[in-house]
Structure formats: structure tokens, C-alpha cells
Amino acid sequence: MSKIHVSTTINGEPAEFLASPEESLLDALRNTLNLTGSKEGCGSGDCGSCSVIVDGRLVCACLMLAVEAGGHSITTIEGIATGDKLHPVQQKFLEHAALQCGFCTPGFIVATKALLDRHPDPTETEIRYWLAGNLCRCTGYDKIVRAVQDAAAEMRGS
Amino acid sequence: MPSLNYVAPTTVSDAVKILAAASGPTRVMSGGTDLLVQLRTGRLKPELIIDTKKIPGIIGITQNADGGFTIGAATSGALLGEHKALAAAYPGVVEAACLIGSTQVQGRASLAGNLCNASPAADSVPAVVAAGGTVTIAGPGGTRTAAVESVVTGPGRTSLAKGEFITAFHLPPIVGKTADAYLRFIPRTEMDIAVVGCGVSVTLDASGTITAAKISLGAVAPTQVSVDASTIIGSKLDDAALARLDAAAQAVCNPIDDKRGTIEFRTKVAGVLARRAAAIAVARAGGRK
Amino acid sequence: MTFIGNKSDLRVVGTRPVRPDGVEKVTGRAVFGADATMSGQIYGRVVRSPHAHARIVSIDTSKALALPGVKAVITAADLPNIPSEEAFVGEGPMNFRDLSLNVMARGKVLYEGHAVAAVAAMTDAVAAAAVDLIVVTYEVLPHVIDVEEAMAPGAPILHDDLFTAGVSPKPTTASNVAKQARFTIGDVEAGFKAADVIVEQRYTTAPVHQAYIEPHAVVAAWGADQQCTVIASSQGHFMIRAYCAKLLGIDISNIRVVPAEIGGGFGGKTVVYLEPLALALSKKAGRPVKMIMTREEVFRATGPTSGAVIEVKIGATNDGKITAAQAVMKYQAGAFPGSPVNPGLMCAFAMYDLANVDVLGYDVVSNRPKVAAYRAPGAPISSFAAESAIDDLARKLNMDPIDLRMKNAAKQGSKTVYGVTHGVIGFEEVLAAAKSHPHWTAPLGKNQGRGVATGFWFNIGGESTGAVFINEDGTVNVVSGSPDIGGSRASMAMMAAEVLGVPYEKCRAVIPDTSSVGFTHVTGGSRVTYATGMAVTQAAQAVVEDLKKRAAMIWDISPEAVEWKDGQAVPAGANAGGFDPLPLAAIALKAAKTGGPIGSEISVNAQGAGPGFGAHICDIEIDPETGHATILRYTAVQDVGRAIHPAYVEGQIQGGAVQGIGWALNEEYVYNKKGLMDNAGFLDYRIPVASDMPMIEAVLVEVPNTRHPFGVRGVGEVPIVPPMAAVGNAIRGAIGIRMEHLPMSPPRIRAAVDGAKMPKAAE
């Protein structure tokens, strides 16, 4: 089959591209659209490094076909900040040193935004279970959880 | 190079037509969370993928007039978890669906995919079976209804005929003191494939005695298996009943040794989970009117 | 070199500023290996052995070459057949011939996943299809995985030319035992005779992988004039340069390696896999070649660490004084010699001041990927055994396990079994901090247990280069040659800012390519803050001397009459003259008039790296019916010398502890009967997830290492040494059973509980 034309919205902007049926959304983001902020850690939905938000729903971009993106609204790490103003989640990750190598960080930030958009006051347990699909090998998760708690407090206006 | 085609029909009848006419290996896709992994590893090499998500009603949850639920086949676990009435009526089914994979996976994974992927370890299957779930199947001959436990015939195999696919799941109305629960054992706290899964549904009378029960075990046999419910019917789930249940659960196990668990371990834990899930279901049922 | 001893004198060091590369990392703009591109690049893939051990009979590449879009295919025939040569460039001993054979098999494949050919094509899809078209004919050979099976007579031999080193007279029969090593002090036989109590136990551990989340990735271009550019994630771009030059037979000056950001390494990226192949493909294809490993390839074909068998025996008198310690350690090296058995031997008892120690180790090859360094290589394995035995010893003596360790603690002047005498160390301080921590006396409930364990790591110094350049506006560029795997860029900028007396935000840290900064050894061995920090500090100090000279020129006084205070040149006393202070920016403005650009680049071969000690306390709850373990609470105490950026020091401790917990509970390579890895993915290779862990409390004890201007000790590796024994000792406390095998996974715990019950059932 020849490539399929996909029309979608990415980070608030219309995006059009051609995709082969077997390409994942992650492939399209990284290789066709030059949005390399979403990472491939495993390609099988087990690490969360490719986390994106589709129509307000947190998903792994490696578990969606690129051709499924048509007509939907996608948010990637590149769309979390507003211009040069960081999102509170990004800011708190920096303040809490919640990243070491930084490879899993885009996935965690997107997943955290998805969490706090739905659950503004999560407990530590709720945070850890929500983020269980995001693997980090560097931090042991401690500072990530603290950053999420602090971002939640700030976003609630506490 | 073999190439892959993709279509996203917008009606059930179009989907049936395409599926029935497909000559090469074909897969129906809802959430895609199993399918994409298998495409990538080469375990599956379809020539055609039929994406059902553009069919109206294939995503969505309705509570019927009789109190039962109709769940579109491609509805994600996340949507199931957010449906208050469904979660109140069938906490076990919802728990099971919301244990599949991660938050990201639950954003896409569906009951239909979990069932038709036909892994012996599928999380939602024991819970839906215990709850008495049925499915509507569309095909060249029209639509038919089937019990969920009749769909999977072996690892990776279903009883669906050529041209057939599932359009909806149905859960019966909760009557009286009826409630369900689902537990699974995994080595970590999340993300693992179930080493053992157990879905239980019980009905109690006014005195708290179990009058009906269904217990389904996953990951301990090629398909889900039912545990002899007579072990607890007529009891209030006292220690003797729990011991009978434990033994009966172990007795129906026919697991394999693999990287996720040994035969011995799976068998023992099946007994443990059956006891614990039954206790939760009984406690929940006791709280209902 | 001045040691800036007083912490209260420090303005920047010890604070927690945002790291300079932070914004690009939280916005997804940072360029990791797989994000890099070169104009005109094509895509490479590797053909890998499906067998654990086989002779390569033939390789037919014709069908692959005929596939439209394929631009090059290589096998070992395209790489120089280099002779055996020992080197120490990465984080351990390296034989270049072995490295070359590991990167591309020649004649024989030695593990499932061993590279036998590689292909480059216009798209990744065509390259993947071409891989399937390369026909390799194998003669499958018997394989051996388990370390004791590999040592046994009659085991399949991997290398006909491998004779056990360290044995006299030199053997004439080829063996899988590459090396035997022994360290001895005193007389252990006499020590055991004098002991009132002896503990003896055998432990086994399974191989585990570093499991960095970023798979290996490279883009490489071989130019027609032999000049090559490589962009890769790594723990050492100078290492990549050296290894590629050696393996491909090219001048080092002809390779420029650009360090991409690295998504975790933990030692596993101190070696090359794809880089020489990408260059060789690029040479043949005449195009840049991009190669990325899949997660499955990372597990099957890159070096995990050893699995091992360790027999340990410790004796003590009733007062708790250890009279003898002995161990025999057998470590898997994988397909080529070079397991970390030596550090395992050296570290197991290095926390204790012992007169009689005898440790014997074997480096054993088997049909698995060649092991690569993994965070304190060798020590976590031997410490699991030694610290479990110490715990059993404490129980037999009816002694508090921390008190037992205090009674035997190494201190300044204590001799180690490997001959080095400890200098200023902080082990006693660490033990005291652990014992006085509220965690140690917090109450425990049913099925809960508490374990404590300690650990040691040498930390290394070595060659590093750092540079400090003053820009025309007085801002500062801090340059170093160490890839940043955990926030070290921030520490470099902080140290420079401290010395220069300027705000941290005015110092920007960069890590340029290998052609733009002096030689720097790998980012590993817990050496960067120490050695590269030393180089950067010395460069900043040299700049300060120059700034004082410039001020002296401006004021027309002698340089000896100028001091540097708070970022300004000031006259040294009233006699020097009544000049207003000259801030750095003001001097910078006049740089051209006072001698030209202001900057300094310093290379060091840092000596005096101070060892680190840690003590971890772990609370665990076991579900006896399922064997499930829940970590309830975890405290990690460590002597860190001086924490330049405490948050990143805490991060090293927390991350290392959680890796160790994963190693203890669920991580292992599972092999099927054919010697093939059964769990080559993150689904079934189970590293800890966020919901598995509690908060990890990191307690920083600071006993400064006076050999470093800021008192730094390496911190990154010590934290992974104690956790397995801490967890095992906690399980011992919870269910009363000593676990002897790693991982201590639920089926094993449940079986241990059942086994312990059985005698009772028979009563």
C-alpha cells in the first residue's frame, strides 16, 4: 500500500504528513515531523519514554499507528511549555533535580501533566501508580514524586 | 517486501464486508496495544489491519434500562475506570481492565482486544467471565450473542468465524447482594503480565449466605478456567469454605513453567487469590442492598 | 593545590541551583544519540547470531546486496584482523582483539546476539529487510552458560587459545577459566582456629543488565579524506575515538567524536558496539550511517554484568572481633575474558580492619554477551555474600549488626587485603549516622523485617581536562571533556563560579567534541566531580592568577600586591594603593590591552581519589502466601566527602540504591535450554517501577577528601553496593530465612517459606 495522508493537530498546530501503515505515531513524530522530544526506550509500550497525550488521554506513541492520528489532537513534550515560559511541572522537575540523564524526562513530564489535569490533588500512592508505566533508571523515582507533588500544589494555587 | 494495508471502516456492515472478503492474514484492531507490539516483533505479519474505532458506538458505555451495561468493544480501560455507575456495579471488571499494562496502555487497551488476543494471562477475562459477561458478534450471517468464556479456545485462538468481530460487551444488571472482585499476582506492583489472575462474583441472601458464585482463574491454563463454585455456595465463606475453595482452585490449574512463574508457584498462588478475591467480593456484596 | 576546607567559606558549592542543561532536557530539545542526524544519512542494522555457540561456516550477502536501496554490507572481513593488545581506556582492562571480535564475530559466534554482519540502506525498513536476506550458515556447537558448568572438565571450550592466567606452571590445556586471582594477608587458618563462631555460606547471583532507558545509538560519517565524524551517546567520547581508531586502523586525529546527551550508562556505555560498524558501513557506502539498537538487541547483545557463585566463610571471637575472612568467587565474564572478579575480591571486606583475609577468584568465560562495567563492577556481587554472612555472624553472636561492624570498622591506617592502606575515610562516621538515625529504631509489624548492610568502592581519579575561558563581557565558559550522565555539568560550573567569585548563572558549562578539548578518561569510576572537577578548579585558579596579573597591569603595581576577593581584584593591603576593586567583567573588557584572551586549559592525571563507604537500612514486608516483597522504608547513608551539588549527590545515592533493590528482588537474565535469553525486554526484565519504591532517604555524611580542592569523594558507585544484602538481611528478619540466591523473587521466597514450614508439618 502506498503511504496514507494524515491530517492531525499537534501541539495546537495543524500537521499533515504521509505515513506507511506499519509506522507508529512515534516513528512519524521523530522521523517525519522532526519532533524528537518523545523518545524510544523500548518500542513495546513498557517504558513510557514515548508518552504523548491524544485527545486529553495519556498514551504511548509507540502503541499507536501514525495513520490513527488523523482527526485527533496530540500533545507532545514540545507543546508543554508556553513559548519560553515553562509549565509548572517542567519547572518543578528542574528545581527538585528530578532528572539525571534526562532521557525519561519528556515522558514523565507529559504523563505528569496528564495526571494533574485530571487529578489535581493526588496522594503519593496515586502518583506512583499513575507513573508506573514510566521507567526511570537514574533517579529511583524519589525526586520525581516530590516534583510532582510540588507541581500539583502550585497548580492548585496552594 | 510484503506490505501492510490499513482501513478504518465507518459502519459495522462495511467492516464485516472487508473482513469477510480479505484473502490474506487480517487483524481487527481496537486499542492496538497488543497488535502493535506483535507487528514490531514480527510475531504477527498481517496484510490488512481493520481499525474499528471509527464505527459509531464501538467506543462508549451505556447503562441499559434494565440496569445492565453495554460497552463498545473498543472502549478503553481508562474510560471504563471513569464510568462511575459501571465502577460501582462491577468494581471487579473495572479493576481488572485498569490493571492492564500502564496508565498509557489503559488509555487505549480494550476489552475486545484483551479477549481476542487470547493470552491465557489476560487480566480482564477472568473478571468479565465471573461477572457473566456476554458479547455481541457481527459477521456475514448477521449478529449473534455469545458468552465471553466461549470466545477463547486456546492461546492466540478464538471461536470467531471468518468475517466475524466483536462489537460490544454486555454485563447483566446487578440484582440484590451481588458483587465482584478481581485480584492478580505479579512480582512488581504494576506493569507485569499476570502470573495468576482471579475474578470472582458472588450473590448473597439477606443472611449473608452465598447463594450463587462464579470463580474464574487466568494464567493457570491455556484458557481461563472455572473453579467449582459449590465449594462456597451455602456458606458464609468461613474458614472451611475458604479451604475448600483454595483446594478447588489448585485442582483446576494446568499451568506451565515459564519466565513468569513455575507450575508449583502458580498453583499455590491460585488458591491464595481465590480465597482473597472471594473475601473481597463477599464483603462488597454484603454492603449492597 | 589548596584545599578549601571550611564549608562556611563556600558560596556556591553546596547549594542546589538548576542545572545548565535543564531547560533543554525538560522541553525535549536535548539531542540524544538517536536524535542526531547528518545530511544524507542512511540507516544501518546488524545481523546477529541466533545461536549461543557456533562456527560460522559461510556468510552469503548476495541477496541483501541485490535488494534495491541497500548501499553496503560488511562482515569481519571488512575490519582489520588486529592482534591481541591490552589496554586500560574504559572502566577496566580491555583486550583490543577481544573487543574487535565482540563488535563483529570472526570465525565463531560466542553468544546469541553476537554480530556477524551489518548492512546499510536508504531506509531503516530496507535495512531490516536486508538483514533477513543475509544467509549465515552455522555449525552449532554445544554451549555453556552457568559459571560452574563452564569451569567443569568437559565443558564446551570457547577459545582454543585461552589458558588460565595466574596459575603456575602455565597450563597447556585450553580452559574457560581465563584467570585466577588471589589476595591474601595474614593467616586465615590460624584465624579460624581462634574463632569462637564461624559462619559459612554459598551464594549465587544471576546476570543483570544496567538497563539504561536509552538504547545505543550513533551517526557516523567516514570522509573520502579519511576524516571521520561520529555523534554518539557514550560515557566517554575519547574512549569511542580511541577504540574506533584501534579497531579500524585509523589515525586518532582523523576521528572527531561529538558527545550526544546520554540516556543512562552506569558503565554499560564505556565500550563500543555500533560505532565501529557504523564507520565501516559509512566507508563502504560513501554516506553517513545512523544505527540505533532495539531494546531487544540491548539485552541480547550488550554486556550485562556477571552472574556469580560465591562461597564465604567468616570467623569471630565472642566479643565480635573478626579473626578471619575467606571467600572463593567465580564470576562469569561472558564470551571474552574480563569479569570484574578482581574488584569483587578487593571490595568484599574492605570496610573492615582485618588481619587475616584470603580471597580467591576466577574469571570464567561462557556463552553470554561479554560483560560490561555496571556501577561498582564486581563489588555489589561480593558484598551481597559478605554482608549477608556478616549479618548471620551478628545473629550467631547475638550482637547488634551495626555494633559488629563498628567493632571491626576500617579506619585511617587500616590495611586492605589488596595492599593499600586507607587514608582519611568516613566509615565510622557512616556507621554512627546509621545507628543514630530514627529508622534504625522505628517499630516493625507482622511479617516485617529490617536489614542493614555496608559497602565500599575505591573511586578513581585519572586523566581529565578542564578549561575556563573569560568572555569579553565577563561571563564565563567552562569546558570539560566528561560527558554528563547525571548533572556533572552543574558541578563544573559551580566549582568554577566558586573559585572565580562570580554568580553561577554567569558560568556556562559545555562538553565539546574530542577535537576541541584535551583528553579525558571516561565518565565512570565515580571520577568526574573528582578528577574533571579538579581540572576545572585548577583552570579557574589559573585564570584567577591571570586576572590578578591583568589588574596589576591596569594599576601598574606588582602582581604580588593584588588579591582576588568575591569576584574582584583588590589591592592586597593599604600599601598596594588606594584602588577601587576591579570586577572580573571590568578586567575582561580590557583583555586585549593586557595580553589578549583570558583563559586556561588544564589536564590532570588526578591522584588521591578517596574511597567511599555506605550503610543502608532496609525495611521489608513479606506476604508469606505469595512471596511478594514490599520495601517499606529505605535509608542510605554515605560518606560523600563534600557534596558540590547536594541534590545530584542525593540522586546518585537514590538511583544506585533502587538499582540494587531491583537486583535483589526481580532482575535476572532468564535463559532457555538453547542458551537463548527468554526475557529480552522491559516487560519481563523487571526493573523497579515507581509504585514499587518508597521515598529513598539519602543521608550525606561529609568527611572531606583533602586531596581535592573542595574535598570531593566520588559518590556514584557506592550506593549500589549495599542494597542486595540490606534487602536479604531484611527478608531474614521478616521470615527468618536466609536467601542464598539472587534475585529473591516471589517464587523463591514462597518456596523458602514452604521449605521452612515442612519440618514443622512433619512434627
Side-chain angles (χ1 to χ4, degrees):
Chain A
M1 187 179 211
S2 51
K3 295 200 179 190
I4 297 177
H5 181 259
V6 180
S7 280
T8 183
T9 306
I10 301 182
N11 298 325
E13 297 290 333
E16 291 187 35
F17 58 94
L18 294 176
S20 298
E22 61 267 9
E23 269 183 72
S24 69
L25 174 61
L26 182 64
D27 293 334
L29 288 172
R30 289 182 55 81
N31 302 331
T32 310
L33 297 168
N34 202 27
L35 291 167
T36 57
S38 306
K39 306 300 180 195
E40 177 165 323
C42 72
S44 54
D46 297 310
C47 77
S49 301
C50 64
S51 296
V52 295
I53 297 171
V54 177
D55 295 341
R57 189 66 71 185
L58 178 66
V59 301
C60 281
C62 74
L63 292 182
M64 258 181 81
L65 295 176
V67 296
E68 292 181 81
H72 295 289
S73 178
I74 299 168
T75 303
T76 71
I77 181 65
E78 290 88 350
I80 301 292
T82 310
D84 71 342
K85 193 162 166 7
L86 294 178
H87 188 283
V89 171
Q90 291 168 310
Q91 188 59 42
K92 290 305 175 186
F93 265 64
L94 290 178
E95 287 171 19
H96 285 267
L99 56 144
Q100 287 180 32
C101 79
F103 190 77
C104 71
T105 305
F108 267 99
I109 288 172
V110 170
T112 300
K113 178 180 190 303
L115 166 67
L116 299 181
D117 284 348
R118 265 177 212 280
H119 306 283
D121 194 3
T123 64
E124 180 185 337
T125 303
E126 285 169 342
I127 292 170
R128 288 183 180 276
Y129 275 86
W130 181 277
L131 295 175
N134 289 78
L135 297 182
C136 175
R137 194 59 161 166
C138 293
T139 68
Y141 305 107
D142 182 296
K143 291 181 189 296
I144 290 176
V145 174
R146 292 181 199 277
V148 174
Q149 290 171 322
D150 199 7
E154 173 153 318
M155 288 164 70
R156 287 195 308 271
S158 318
Chain B
M1 284 188 298
S3 71
L4 175 62
N5 290 338
Y6 166 93
V7 289
T10 54
T11 66
V12 170
S13 60
D14 280 350
V16 169
K17 275 200 206 86
I18 296 166
L19 190 51
S23 53
T26 306
R27 296 303 281 200
V28 173
M29 176 171 76
S30 353
T33 51
D34 282 318
L35 180 62
L36 265 76
V37 176
Q38 292 166 17
L39 281 182
R40 198 193 154 96
T41 60
R43 194 168 138 199
L44 284 180
K45 292 190 208 288
E47 284 171 14
L48 175 65
I49 290 176
I50 302 174
D51 183 353
T52 62
K53 294 194 291 296
K54 292 206 164 95
I55 298 172
I58 206 85
I59 295 176
I61 304 159
T62 327
Q63 186 158 26
N64 310 324
D66 67 358
F69 294 87
T70 298
I71 302 168
T75 309
S76 69
L79 283 173
L80 294 174
E82 288 163 8
H83 196 278
K84 288 196 170 26
L86 181 65
Y90 284 101
V93 170
V94 171
E95 276 159 355
C98 291
L99 280 173
I100 302 172
S102 59
T103 309
Q104 288 87 340
V105 167
Q106 289 145 35
R108 305 283 290 175
S110 68
L111 292 179
N114 200 227
L115 180 66
C116 296
N117 184 49
S119 160
D123 276 311
S124 65
V125 174
V128 176
V129 167
T134 57
V135 287
T136 299
I137 299 168
T143 61
R144 62 184 180 92
T145 307
V148 164
E149 58 256 56
S150 71
V151 174
V152 177
T153 56
R157 295 196 319 272
T158 70
S159 59
L160 298 175
K162 180 153 165 65
E164 287 191 319
F165 73 104
I166 293 176
T167 57
F169 281 69
H170 306 280
L171 294 172
I174 294 284
V175 177
K177 288 173 167 321
T178 300
D180 69 346
Y182 175 78
L183 287 179
R184 71 173 180 185
F185 180 80
I186 53 171
R188 294 182 291 185
T189 53
E190 275 284 299
M191 296 306 288
D192 295 326
I193 299 288
V195 177
V196 180
C198 182
V200 177
S201 175
V202 296
T203 303
L204 312 178
D205 68 14
S207 75
T209 304
I210 299 170
T211 58
K214 190 142 184 187
I215 306 123
S216 164
L217 286 171
V220 294
T223 68
Q224 66 81 35
V225 285
S226 283
V227 180
D228 181 2
S230 72
T231 52
I232 61 173
I233 289 174
S235 81
K236 290 189 175 149
L237 207 63
D238 57 306
D239 285 349
L242 286 168
R244 289 193 304 270
L245 177 62
D246 187 323
Q250 294 201 41
V252 295
C253 287
N254 182 21
I256 55 170
D257 274 335
D258 71 3
K259 56 186 176 259
R260 297 178 186 139
T262 59
I263 293 169
E264 187 186 342
F265 182 70
R266 285 186 149 115
T267 306
K268 287 182 180 167
V269 173
V272 173
L273 292 191
R275 280 190 272 116
R276 294 179 182 181
I280 296 170
V282 165
R284 284 177 176 159
R288 294 197 200 259
K289 298 218 183 334
Chain C
M1 181 219 78
T2 33
F3 166 57
I4 302 159
N6 220 327
K7 205 168 162 182
S8 58
D9 293 336
L10 298 170
R11 187 183 43 91
V12 180
V13 163
T15 62
R16 298 170 184 247
V18 170
R19 58 196 281 172
D21 53 328
V23 169
E24 62 177 28
K25 290 202 164 137
V26 298
T27 55
R29 286 205 306 269
V31 177
F32 292 83
D35 305 327
T37 56
M38 285 191 196
S39 176
Q41 71 191 17
I42 60 176
Y43 302 87
R45 286 253 189 162
V46 180
V47 179
R48 299 188 181 279
S49 165
H51 304 294
H53 195 194
R55 214 172 305 279
I56 301 171
V57 175
S58 65
I59 305 177
D60 180 356
T61 60
S62 56
K63 287 203 200 70
L65 283 166
L67 184 66
V70 169
K71 293 299 173 196
V73 177
I74 59 167
T75 65
D78 294 284
L79 300 173
N81 194 352
I82 64 176
S84 181
E85 180 188 339
E86 294 287 330
F88 195 106
V89 183
E91 205 180 324
M94 167 65 67
N95 181 304
F96 278 119
R97 178 169 174 76
D98 287 347
L99 177 65
S100 174
L101 294 175
N102 192 44
V103 157
M104 184 69 85
R106 191 183 286 274
K108 252 181 119 173
V109 289
L110 293 162
Y111 55 94
E112 182 216 7
H114 200 168
V116 301
V119 60
M122 295 301 293
T123 68
D124 186 58
V126 171
V131 162
D132 289 339
L133 294 176
I134 293 177
V135 181
V136 185
T137 309
Y138 296 100
E139 181 203 329
V140 179
L141 300 169
H143 68 275
V144 62
I145 304 263
D146 175 81
V147 64
E148 287 183 316
E149 284 173 27
M151 294 173 78
I157 296 294
L158 272 70
H159 303 282
D160 296 329
D161 57 352
L162 183 63
F163 304 95
T164 309
V167 171
S168 226
K170 186 179 153 138
T172 50
T173 318
S175 168
N176 289 328
V177 180
K179 182 182 79 176
Q180 187 177 301
R182 191 171 205 145
F183 296 95
T184 304
I185 51 173
D187 180 350
V188 287
E189 291 314 315
F192 284 123
K193 282 208 180 71
D196 295 318
V197 160
I198 289 180
V199 164
E200 208 170 344
Q201 191 66 276
R202 180 187 144 98
Y203 296 89
T204 62
T205 77
V208 296
H209 198 276
Q210 302 81 347
Y212 30 83
I213 309 300
E214 179 209 27
H216 302 251
V218 61
V219 191
W222 181 295
D225 59 355
Q226 306 284 297
Q227 293 196 70
C228 302
T229 305
V230 175
I231 309 175
S233 325
S234 80
Q235 291 178 250
H237 44 323
F238 289 89
M239 172 276 299
I240 294 181
R241 187 181 73 167
Y243 285 5
C244 288
K246 187 65 77 170
L247 264 49
L248 298 168
I250 50 185
D251 290 348
I252 288 180
S253 58
N254 270 342
I255 308 181
R256 183 172 70 96
V257 182
V258 179
E261 297 302 322
I262 170 174
F266 316 109
K269 290 181 182 160
T270 58
V271 73
V272 293
Y273 297 102
L274 296 175
E275 295 82 352
L277 301 184
L279 278 171
L281 284 169
S282 176
K283 180 178 180 187
K284 245 185 171 178
R287 308 273 294 257
V289 174
K290 181 165 182 172
M291 299 180 77
I292 306 172
M293 279 200 197
T294 64
R295 174 54 50 187
E296 205 184 322
E297 285 179 296
V298 173
F299 277 117
R300 287 193 203 284
T302 68
T305 192
S306 312
V309 177
I310 305 190
E311 286 148 341
V312 64
K313 183 176 174 184
I314 309 183
T317 43
N318 282 326
D319 63 347
K321 201 88 185 81
I322 296 173
T323 54
Q326 183 176 55
V328 176
M329 307 184 189
K330 301 162 187 166
Y331 278 45
Q332 288 171 323
F336 298 93
S339 77
V341 64
N342 267 45
L345 296 172
M346 294 153 80
C347 293
F349 302 113
M351 297 79 82
Y352 306 114
D353 183 14
L354 305 176
N356 306 311
V357 183
D358 177 43
V359 288
L360 167 64
Y362 299 94
D363 180 32
V364 182
V365 298
S366 64
N367 294 112
R368 301 180 42 235
K370 178 181 186 334
V371 300
Y374 180 19
R375 206 161 195 165
I381 297 167
S382 65
S383 278
F384 168 61
E387 289 292 288
S388 297
I390 294 273
D391 191 66
D392 282 342
L393 187 67
R395 286 175 191 281
K396 265 193 165 170
L397 290 168
N398 212 7
M399 207 171 159
D400 174 290
I402 295 185
D403 287 344
L404 173 61
R405 290 171 170 91
M406 279 174 157
K407 183 129 182 119
N408 294 280
K411 36 180 104 39
Q412 184 170 11
S414 298
K415 270 200 78 149
T416 62
V417 73
Y418 54 94
V420 161
T421 303
H422 283 312
V424 172
I425 56 173
F427 188 47
E428 287 179 305
E429 289 84 343
V430 164
L431 288 173
K435 185 153 187 196
S436 64
H437 195 282
H439 184 174
W440 187 239
T441 48
L444 286 167
K446 186 168 186 269
N447 290 326
Q448 297 179 355
R450 176 167 300 144
V452 66
T454 63
F456 162 90
W457 187 251
F458 330 82
N459 303 323
I460 62 174
E463 298 173 295
S464 278
T465 303
V468 171
F469 301 111
I470 307 298
N471 300 317
E472 313 91 275
D473 63 353
T475 59
V476 184
N477 285 3
V478 178
V479 177
S480 70
S482 293
D484 181 355
I485 59 177
S488 52
R489 254 185 296 239
S491 300
M492 299 304 127
M494 289 166 78
M495 287 184 268
E498 187 75 56
V499 171
L500 294 169
V502 299
Y504 163 79
E505 294 73 19
K506 299 291 183 188
C507 297
R508 288 313 190 192
V510 291
I511 304 147
D513 65 45
T514 52
S515 302
S516 309
V517 66
F519 181 85
T520 302
H521 192 38
V522 295
T523 294
S526 308
R527 63 176 298 275
V528 170
T529 313
Y530 184 78
T532 308
M534 189 185 288
V536 165
T537 302
Q538 289 184 13
Q541 288 167 336
V543 164
V544 165
E545 291 309 302
D546 194 4
L547 288 166
K548 282 157 54 177
K549 283 202 192 86
R550 309 294 181 112
M553 260 189 250
I554 293 166
W555 290 332
D556 199 19
I557 61 176
S558 156
E560 285 83 47
V562 181
E563 282 176 358
W564 191 260
K565 264 197 176 67
D566 299 327
Q568 309 183 109
V570 296
N575 293 341
F579 300 103
D580 287 333
L582 264 179
L584 192 156
I587 303 175
L589 264 179
K590 299 197 155 93
K593 292 205 169 82
T594 56
I598 304 172
S600 171
E601 178 163 334
I602 303 264
S603 291
V604 300
N605 188 353
Q607 305 301 308
F613 293 84
H616 293 196
I617 306 170
C618 174
D619 286 355
I620 209 165
E621 181 173 314
I622 303 293
D623 180 340
E625 288 196 308
T626 63
H628 197 270
T630 303
I631 306 283
L632 300 170
R633 185 173 178 180
Y634 202 93
T635 304
V637 183
Q638 188 169 327
D639 170 21
V640 303
R642 171 156 297 135
I644 303 298
H645 192 308
Y648 288 107
V649 172
E650 290 161 357
Q652 290 296 310
I653 293 172
Q654 293 163 334
V658 171
Q659 282 181 318
I661 295 170
W663 196 333
L665 290 179
N666 277 310
E667 291 181 40
E668 62 179 324
Y669 268 51
V670 178
Y671 287 96
N672 68 18
K673 290 193 179 58
K674 291 193 189 153
L676 310 182
M677 187 185 184
D678 211 10
N679 61 333
F682 277 135
L683 180 61
D684 291 303
Y685 184 85
R686 293 184 263 267
I687 75 173
V689 297
S691 44
D692 291 341
M693 291 292 115
M695 296 294 188
I696 308 288
E697 182 170 349
V699 178
L700 309 187
V701 168
E702 288 183 316
V703 176
N705 174 11
T706 54
R707 304 283 297 271
H708 184 279
F710 289 110
V712 165
R713 286 182 199 277
V715 303
E717 290 170 287
V718 168
I720 202 176
V721 180
M724 288 111 77
V727 171
N729 294 340
I731 292 175
R732 172 74 179 78
I735 59 172
I737 301 167
R738 170 60 59 194
M739 301 298 290
E740 299 153 20
H741 309 290
L742 289 184
M744 299 174 278
S745 53
R748 290 204 175 110
I749 293 180
R750 168 78 205 234
V753 168
D754 289 347
K757 275 198 191 119
M758 277 173 62
K760 273 203 176 138
E763 273 161 18

